[in-house]
Amino acid sequence: MNNDSGDEAVWQTALDWLMREHEETLSDADREALHAWLAASSQHCRVFREAEQLWLLTGMVPRSDERR
């Protein structure tokens, strides 16, 4: 069984969270939902961090110490 569609869905969700996190201030409920999604799977956390690093390398996302 090919799991590419599952991987793609995780990447898309990670990117959606990154965009929301950097385009707007997340509410407490949104932040809790993000943390729950990250905690639900080591893959979620890994992919989110990979996506964040990719965005950092392309200059699209400020470093965490520059966000606030």
Side-chain angles (χ1 to χ4, degrees):
M1 181 175 176
N2 188 338
N3 195 25
D4 287 342
S5 63
D7 291 344
E8 186 175 323
V10 171
W11 264 100
Q12 186 59 56
T13 302
L15 291 173
D16 289 346
W17 276 117
L18 274 173
M19 290 186 336
R20 286 182 64 193
E21 185 178 45
H22 296 287
E23 291 177 355
E24 61 188 72
T25 301
L26 295 180
S27 68
D28 289 340
D30 287 339
R31 193 160 301 287
E32 286 179 24
L34 170 58
H35 288 281
W37 182 78
L38 291 170
S41 166
S42 61
Q43 180 191 25
H44 294 177
C45 192
R46 179 182 51 79
V47 169
F48 184 83
R49 299 296 172 227
E50 287 175 5
E52 191 171 48
Q53 286 299 312
L54 179 63
W55 280 36
L56 284 169
L57 290 171
T58 62
M60 296 178 69
V61 176
R63 293 188 327 247
S64 60
D65 60 339
E66 295 178 342
R67 290 185 205 155
R68 304 210 194 286

